[in-house]
Amino acid sequence: MPASGSPSLTAPPLDVDAIRADFPALHQTLYDGRPLVYLDNAATSQKPQVVIDRVRDFYARENSNIHRGVHYLSQQATEAYEQARETVRRFLNARRRTEIVFTRGTTESINLVAATFGRSRLERGDEIVVSAMEHHSNIVPWQMLCQERGARLRVIPVDDRGELDEEAYRRLLTERTKLVALCHVSNTLGTINPVQRMIADAHGLGIPVLLDGAQAAPHLPVDVQALDCDFYCFSGHKVFGPTGIGILYGKEALLDAMPPWQGGGDMIETVSFERTTFNELPHKFEAGTPHIAGGIGLKAALDYVEARGRTALARHEDALLAYATERLTAIEGLHLIGTAREKTSVLSFVLDGIHPYDAGTLLDRLGIAVRTGHHCTQPLMQRFGLPGTIRASLAFYNTTDDVDALVDGLHRVRSLLA
Ligand code: PLP
């Protein structure tokens, strides 16, 4: 699909046609031959051919278990997996490779911190601060922990634009606060939170901060040293890599002090029936055979993004977001939910008199993939008094043509359903 321009949009400084050629899933037709318009990138992104090839090649030629074999294949696989860890370290600008723990995804990373750091530190009467725009995976693990410990979850309110109330946040921070757990970018609103400032506020009182970077890592440069966050989590499948692989970054001193989580192979140093000693970081948190192909595939995805130029990709997405915002808000009866001043390319909206699910189903018949519903942010939906929204989320391979197809589709939806 050509990356056509609009008169109100300066041409994106990116060869989007060349980029699209790298993603085979984008070139299919659905139903009665309609070209796929994929606008569900916040749920998961498509994979470039280099990632697909890398995973296939691993299974075809290198497949072996890692860390404990002396034979050739095991050494090759171990080296590839540990190189992937180094690539993630660079992607996040972490200080050390030992600060990068492979998990199954953002959800597992957060659960790991809750089960180890949280369980070892939280006492009755303590508090954990989250925001009203969190994904369920950055609410429920803390809620479960609070219930277990007799602790309390405190919630930073969100204003009508979809921005956090920072005054209220500062008031929530007290000597009872043991952790702030906050999304870097909201999956429903697209809001980029002022995390640098919020981390500084928390650190002023000695409170550690976990950032859920699931929606930030695919769009923004992330520098954990500059942010000075204590934990950072993201998922491979949202950054153009495989499913089932994710990352927990933690400052070394914190990870070192935390008890291990799951027990099993690889996370131990010695085992006897009397006593077990644990492996060094990061292996202490990586029990059992990991998703080796996933880690290696993630490296291929991050290398791809790096090679295409993170700044150029982000610039294209920003231009596309501006274009999509302009075009969508011109549709009668359409209301954007989430109009923060700092946003990534997520457009949540409702249409007067039309249920999001009906709109999503009709758009699907036109080949347009959007998400409808609560987007795993039910408390946020309650805050806005909505059962759900329609969410179009963009990636760097999307074009103004994709946005135009969505707008045409929405006019069709309105003519049929309104
Ligand atoms: N946090 C945010 C902000 C998300 O958008 C998502 C997924 O949509 C998650 C966490 C959970 O990610 P995963 O399902 O990959 O663990």
Side-chain angles (χ1 to χ4, degrees):
M1 195 183 292
S4 72
S6 133
S8 61
L9 181 72
T10 47
L14 194 71
D15 186 352
V16 187
D17 287 344
I19 285 180
R20 289 180 69 82
D22 295 333
F23 289 81
L26 298 177
H27 305 284
Q28 44 188 318
T29 52
L30 312 178
Y31 303 121
D32 49 354
R34 290 178 184 277
L36 170 68
V37 176
Y38 189 76
L39 298 172
D40 194 18
N41 295 288
T44 199
S45 53
Q46 298 302 342
K47 320 303 173 201
Q49 190 65 48
V50 283
V51 169
I52 299 164
D53 289 347
R54 188 64 192 92
V55 171
R56 192 205 48 211
D57 287 352
F58 170 75
Y59 283 123
R61 287 205 303 269
E62 294 156 81
N63 180 50
S64 179
N65 214 328
I66 55 171
H67 291 151
R68 37 190 176 245
V70 291
H71 62 80
Y72 180 81
L73 286 187
S74 179
Q75 286 179 23
Q76 293 282 304
T78 301
E79 198 179 314
Y81 195 66
E82 291 306 322
Q83 275 172 6
R85 200 188 303 277
E86 170 59 19
T87 298
V88 174
R89 184 202 67 72
R90 259 192 289 115
F91 184 76
L92 292 178
N93 192 33
R95 216 171 258 115
R96 296 183 187 85
R97 215 149 43 94
T98 47
E99 296 178 317
I100 304 296
V101 178
F102 280 115
T103 64
R104 282 193 300 133
T106 305
T107 303
E108 188 169 271
S109 300
I110 295 171
N111 275 276
L112 190 162
V113 177
T116 58
F117 176 87
R119 203 171 272 153
S120 63
R121 293 212 181 187
L122 212 64
E123 290 173 3
R124 178 165 293 282
D126 285 344
E127 293 179 350
I128 291 177
V129 171
V130 297
S131 88
M133 64 171 79
E134 298 308 316
H135 189 280
H136 296 162
S137 60
N138 201 25
I139 299 174
V140 183
W142 307 119
Q143 202 166 42
M144 289 162 67
L145 178 67
C146 284
Q147 269 161 16
E148 181 188 306
R149 294 278 140 169
R152 194 149 76 114
L153 209 56
R154 305 301 304 273
V155 183
I156 313 162
V158 174
D159 69 15
D160 289 343
R161 253 207 294 237
E163 295 182 354
L164 292 179
D165 179 342
E166 288 187 71
E167 277 296 307
Y169 166 64
R170 281 188 282 275
R171 283 196 301 274
L172 285 175
L173 299 177
T174 70
E175 74 284 353
R176 288 187 299 275
T177 316
K178 290 297 177 291
L179 182 76
V180 172
L182 189 65
C183 60
H184 192 171
V185 169
S186 157
N187 66 309
T188 301
L189 305 169
T191 309
I192 304 172
N193 285 317
V195 289
Q196 187 106 45
R197 231 171 19 237
M198 295 176 80
I199 290 167
D201 288 337
H203 283 179
L205 294 170
I207 303 163
V209 179
L210 174 144
L211 290 184
D212 168 354
Q215 297 296 338
H219 302 288
L220 306 175
V222 178
D223 182 335
V224 292
Q225 290 190 65
L227 287 170
D228 198 27
C229 56
D230 299 278
F231 300 103
Y232 199 94
C233 317
F234 75 91
S235 298
H237 69 97
K238 294 186 202 280
V239 288
F240 316 98
T243 54
I245 189 79
I247 297 299
L248 169 66
Y249 156 83
K251 283 182 179 165
E252 190 174 59
L254 286 171
L255 291 178
D256 237 347
M258 281 154 56
W261 182 31
Q262 295 178 324
D266 240 24
M267 54 77 72
I268 55 88
E269 183 188 43
T270 62
V271 178
S272 72
F273 283 114
E274 287 70 41
R275 185 172 120 84
T276 291
T277 57
F278 301 114
N279 204 342
E280 59 195 15
L281 290 177
H283 309 294
K284 181 172 89 171
F285 296 109
E286 294 180 350
T289 301
H291 186 7
I292 306 165
I296 292 171
L298 175 60
K299 171 177 166 46
L302 299 182
D303 285 345
Y304 177 85
V305 169
E306 208 62 60
R308 284 294 185 184
R310 279 164 95 177
T311 311
L313 299 177
R315 219 181 301 127
H316 169 72
E317 283 185 24
D318 285 347
L320 207 53
L321 175 66
Y323 178 75
T325 305
E326 189 183 310
R327 290 231 54 203
L328 285 181
T329 46
I331 297 175
E332 204 189 317
L334 184 149
H335 307 280
L336 271 186
I337 309 298
T339 51
R341 286 160 291 190
E342 297 289 330
K343 267 189 78 169
T344 58
S345 34
V346 170
L347 297 120
S348 261
F349 54 91
V350 290
L351 292 166
D352 285 343
I354 299 173
H355 195 282
Y357 181 79
D358 294 336
T361 306
L362 246 169
L363 289 172
D364 170 60
R365 299 306 300 185
L366 301 171
I368 302 166
V370 293
R371 188 142 292 241
T372 61
H374 53 64
H375 317 298
C376 295
T377 53
Q378 284 185 15
L380 185 66
M381 290 295 115
Q382 286 152 19
R383 154 68 182 80
F384 281 95
L386 295 168
T389 70
I390 305 158
R391 183 186 71 184
S393 50
L394 311 167
F396 53 70
Y397 44 61
N398 287 121
T399 65
T400 51
D401 283 352
D402 292 337
V403 175
D404 293 344
L406 173 65
V407 170
D408 291 347
L410 289 169
H411 282 302
R412 184 91 178 268
V413 166
R414 271 181 51 79
S415 71
L416 289 170
L417 298 179

